[in-house]
């Protein structure tokens, strides 16, 4: 759907321009016209007292099918900051490679920045067949309007059928803006992606209804199919230094007049638990009984050289800070070993840790859902098992830290 203006009925009152939240209406010779940033919210139509503004519904039938068939390929939007490619980009390339191979199409990456250096080559090493590289001084720092505008231009130019974006602060800002401009759907915070082989359609899987179910979402009638994916939900491929690919530098128009301008970028070092990079995570749940018993989890993490994680329930209870939370509303992690201590395994928590290589669960309920994803399970009182486990590990090889 898009908006249109009947010039004959427009009287130049400018009510529509005042009501437009996107600043998408301009006037020339006292007549309104709509520019590219229109989101089709219809506020202008409702404000017009002269019936000069209306909707143009999306095409249907054969014409729509023909248009959809013009879209080919899988794209990953790279997050490039301070000369570094974000880990989530490499993870998305791993998933994108599988999707592209299933569809028999190419995998491409977009990278935007002031000076991207050798980043394009790195993207090829991690699975991209083609990299679209856009360099401009205005792209040095992330700007919602500028980056979205350039991204949308590239999508309209090359027409990918699938676009994957990291569910980071940047990605969550850009993706909905772009989806609105492209008049397509967007599934946020996906934890898994698959291809429906019968329809060649992207299956976008994510927790829904407060994490109580896993929903599979499709976008059957619009292209591209867009999804943001949580960091650590996917696994990056091993880099292939000998891999060859194409680096293209398309000509785009970088907007100069934008509402949001970046004056300066300040980086501060914040002491936080680095759950996403940890090889060993020992997570605590309500089964510990009280805050005082949290020390057992900390002791085990210290012996193993790991970090402490937590379920939402004990974070909400104030036992430990939010930076330790694992799950749907916390962090998604992928450690080599994940200890679940007194955690029942609600789907909200499982959404953040099921990608762990080895899950070890300790719970006194043999029917606890956590045991369904655990490689090793101990049915018993966590307050008895943890001290025995800590003592045994210390006697064997002491504390790593």
């Amino acid at each position: 759907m898009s908006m249109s203006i009947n010039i004959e009925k427009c009287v130049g009152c400018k009510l529509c321009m005042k009501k437009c939240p996107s600043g998408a209406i301009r006037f020339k010779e006292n007549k309104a016209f709509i520019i590219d940033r229109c989101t089709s919210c219809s506020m202008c139509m409702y404000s017009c007292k002269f019936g000069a503004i209306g909707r143009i519904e999306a095409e249907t039938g054969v014409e729509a099918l023909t248009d959809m068939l013009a879209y080919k390929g899988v794209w990953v939007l790279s997050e490039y900051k301070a000369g570094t490619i974000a880990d989530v980009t490499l993870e998305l390339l791993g998933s994108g490679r599988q999707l592209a191979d299933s569809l028999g199409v190419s995998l491409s990456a977009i990278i935007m920045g002031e000076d991207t250096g050798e980043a394009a080559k790195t993207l090829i090493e991690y699975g991209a067949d083609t990299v679209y590289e856009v360099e401009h001084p205005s792209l040095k720092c992330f700007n919602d309007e500028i980056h979205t505008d350039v991204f949308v231009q590239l999508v309209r130019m090359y027409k990918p059928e699938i676009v994957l974006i990291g569910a980071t602060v940047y990605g969550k800002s850009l993706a909905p803006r772009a989806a609105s401009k492209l008049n397509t759907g967007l599934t946020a915070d996906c934890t898994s992606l698959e291809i429906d082989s019968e329809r060649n359609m992207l299956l976008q899987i994510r927790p829904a209804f407060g994490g109580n179910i896993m929903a599979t979402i499709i976008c059957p009638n619009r292209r591209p199919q867009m999804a943001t994916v949580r960091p650590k939900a996917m696994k990056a491929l091993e880099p292939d230094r000998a891999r060859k690919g194409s680096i293209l530098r398309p000509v785009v128009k970088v907007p100069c007049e934008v509402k949001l301008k970046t004056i300066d970028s300040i980086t501060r070092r914040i002491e936080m638990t680095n759950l996403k990079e940890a090889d060993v995570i020992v997570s605590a749940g309500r089964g510990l009984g009280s805050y005082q018993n949290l020390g057992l989890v900390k002791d085990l993490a210290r012996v193993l050289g790991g970090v402490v994680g937590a379920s939402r329930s004990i974070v909400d209870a104030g036992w430990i800070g939010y930076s330790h939370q694992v799950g749907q509303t916390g962090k998604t992690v992928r450690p080599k070993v994940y200890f679940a201590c007194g955690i029942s395994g609600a789907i909200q928590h499982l959404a953040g840790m099921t990608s762990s290589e080895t899950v070890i669960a300790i719970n006194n309920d043999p029917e606890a859902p956590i045991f369904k994803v655990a490689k090793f399970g101990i049915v018993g009182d966590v307050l008895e098992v943890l001290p025995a486990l800590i003592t045994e590990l210390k006697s064997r090889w002491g504390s790593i830290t």
Side-chain angles (χ1 to χ4, degrees), residues 45 67 95 109 126 152 167 176 185 213 222 232 234 238 240 262 270-271 338 340 368 388 393 399:
M45 183 181 72
D67 184 58
S95 176
Y126 277 89
V152 169
I213 65 169
R222 303 299 301 175
K232 294 297 179 183
M234 308 298 178
E238 290 297 322
D240 181 356
T262 302
I270 301 175
E271 182 98 16
Y338 187 89
L393 290 174
S399 177

Side-chain angles (χ1 to χ4, degrees), residues 109-188:
I110 303 173
I111 185 163
M112 297 180 277
E114 181 182 33
D115 179 11
T116 57
E118 298 293 306
K121 293 181 180 179
T122 301
L123 295 171
I124 291 172
E125 292 171 0
Y126 277 89
D129 298 311
T130 302
V131 176
Y132 297 100
E133 185 178 52
V134 181
E135 292 183 317
H136 192 277
S138 297
L139 298 169
K140 179 180 179 179
C141 296
F142 178 77
N143 181 294
D144 307 64
E145 293 182 69
I146 298 175
H147 280 70
T148 299
D149 191 286
V150 172
F151 170 73
V152 169
Q153 288 181 59
L154 292 172
V155 171
R156 287 175 174 164
M157 196 181 303
Y158 294 101
K159 298 185 183 300
E161 58 189 300
I162 293 173
V163 175
L164 307 180
I165 301 172
T168 61
V169 173
Y170 290 174
K172 289 181 177 181
S173 176
L174 182 147
R177 289 171 176 263
S180 177
K181 287 178 176 291
L182 294 167
N183 197 23
T184 190
L186 171 68
T187 303

Side-chain angles (χ1 to χ4, degrees), residues 285-297 319 341-342 362-364 380-390:
R286 271 288 195 182
L288 286 171
S290 68
Y291 166 76
Q292 287 71 23
N293 296 326
L294 190 60
L296 293 171
V297 170
W319 295 7
C341 306
I362 306 170
N363 200 290
N364 59 8
D381 187 342
V382 69
L383 300 182
E384 296 177 0
V385 174
L386 284 181
L389 184 59
I390 293 167

Side-chain angles (χ1 to χ4, degrees), residues 233-385:
M234 308 298 178
K235 189 174 182 180
L237 300 173
E238 290 297 322
D240 181 356
R241 307 301 179 192
R243 199 168 185 281
K244 303 296 182 182
S246 301
I247 300 175
L248 304 179
R249 296 176 176 84
V251 178
V252 296
K253 183 179 179 180
V254 179
C256 298
E257 295 184 10
V258 293
K259 293 181 178 178
L260 176 66
K261 294 185 178 180
T262 302
I263 298 174
D264 194 9
S265 178
I266 300 172
T267 302
R268 293 182 180 177
R269 192 169 181 174
I270 301 175
E271 182 98 16
M272 293 190 73
T273 304
N274 197 359
L275 287 172
K276 292 184 178 181
E277 302 301 324
D279 287 334
V280 178
I281 297 176
V282 183
S283 273
R286 271 288 195 182
L288 286 171
S290 68
Y291 166 76
Q292 287 71 23
N293 296 326
L294 190 60
L296 293 171
V297 170
K298 294 179 180 179
D299 287 345
L300 180 57
R302 192 175 300 113
V303 170
L304 296 171
V307 299
V308 176
S311 66
R312 177 177 176 175
S313 58
I314 72 167
V315 171
D316 288 347
W319 295 7
I320 198 167
Y322 173 73
S323 64
H324 294 266
Q325 185 174 322
V326 175
Q328 182 188 1
T329 53
K331 292 183 174 67
T332 301
V333 298
R334 190 190 287 271
K336 292 180 179 177
V337 180
Y338 187 89
F339 279 86
C341 306
I343 295 174
S344 62
I347 194 169
Q348 293 94 328
H349 188 78
L350 297 181
M353 48 69 66
T354 47
S355 295
S356 307
E357 291 184 21
T358 301
V359 177
I360 301 171
I362 306 170
N363 200 290
N364 59 8
D365 179 7
E367 301 299 322
I370 193 68
F371 288 122
K372 294 180 181 179
V373 299
K375 187 170 184 179
F376 301 102
I378 302 173
V379 179
D381 187 342
V382 69
L383 300 182
E384 296 177 0
V385 174

Side-chain angles (χ1 to χ4, degrees), residues 15-252:
L15 280 175
C16 54
M17 187 171 70
K18 294 177 182 178
K19 290 292 184 180
C20 178
S22 304
I25 297 180
R26 299 285 189 271
F27 276 80
K28 185 177 181 180
E29 297 178 358
N30 209 33
K31 297 291 183 180
F33 66 95
I34 298 173
I35 63 174
D36 212 22
R37 65 173 61 174
C38 175
T39 62
S40 303
C41 68
S42 301
M43 289 295 293
C44 57
M45 183 181 72
Y46 297 132
S47 67
C48 182
K49 297 179 179 180
F50 305 95
I53 304 177
R55 297 190 191 97
I56 300 176
E57 298 299 329
E59 65 276 23
T60 58
V62 177
E63 291 184 2
L65 178 61
T66 303
D67 184 58
M68 286 177 61
L69 292 176
Y71 288 79
K72 292 289 183 183
V74 178
W75 275 20
V76 170
L77 176 61
S78 306
E79 187 168 317
Y80 185 74
K81 180 181 178 183
T84 303
I85 300 171
D87 288 344
V88 68
T89 299
L90 307 181
E91 295 160 13
L92 290 178
L93 284 172
S95 176
R97 183 73 269 165
Q98 295 177 352
L99 298 175
D101 291 346
S102 296
L103 291 167
V105 297
S106 63
L107 172 65
S108 302
I110 303 173
I111 185 163
M112 297 180 277
E114 181 182 33
D115 179 11
T116 57
E118 298 293 306
K121 293 181 180 179
T122 301
L123 295 171
I124 291 172
E125 292 171 0
Y126 277 89
D129 298 311
T130 302
V131 176
Y132 297 100
E133 185 178 52
V134 181
E135 292 183 317
H136 192 277
S138 297
L139 298 169
K140 179 180 179 179
C141 296
F142 178 77
N143 181 294
D144 307 64
E145 293 182 69
I146 298 175
H147 280 70
T148 299
D149 191 286
V150 172
F151 170 73
V152 169
Q153 288 181 59
L154 292 172
V155 171
R156 287 175 174 164
M157 196 181 303
Y158 294 101
K159 298 185 183 300
E161 58 189 300
I162 293 173
V163 175
L164 307 180
I165 301 172
T168 61
V169 173
Y170 290 174
K172 289 181 177 181
S173 176
L174 182 147
R177 289 171 176 263
S180 177
K181 287 178 176 291
L182 294 167
N183 197 23
T184 190
L186 171 68
T187 303
D189 285 322
C190 292
T191 56
S192 181
L193 299 169
E194 298 174 8
I195 294 294
D196 181 336
S197 57
E198 293 184 2
R199 296 178 290 175
N200 281 352
M201 192 177 296
L202 180 65
L203 304 179
Q204 303 158 76
I205 302 165
R206 57 151 293 161
F209 294 102
N212 292 311
I213 65 169
M214 297 300 288
T216 299
I217 300 169
I218 61 174
C219 183
N221 301 318
R222 303 299 301 175
R223 292 293 181 272
Q225 302 163 91
M226 291 181 60
T228 61
V229 181
R230 300 185 68 168
K232 294 297 179 183
M234 308 298 178
K235 189 174 182 180
L237 300 173
E238 290 297 322
D240 181 356
R241 307 301 179 192
R243 199 168 185 281
K244 303 296 182 182
S246 301
I247 300 175
L248 304 179
R249 296 176 176 84
V251 178
V252 296

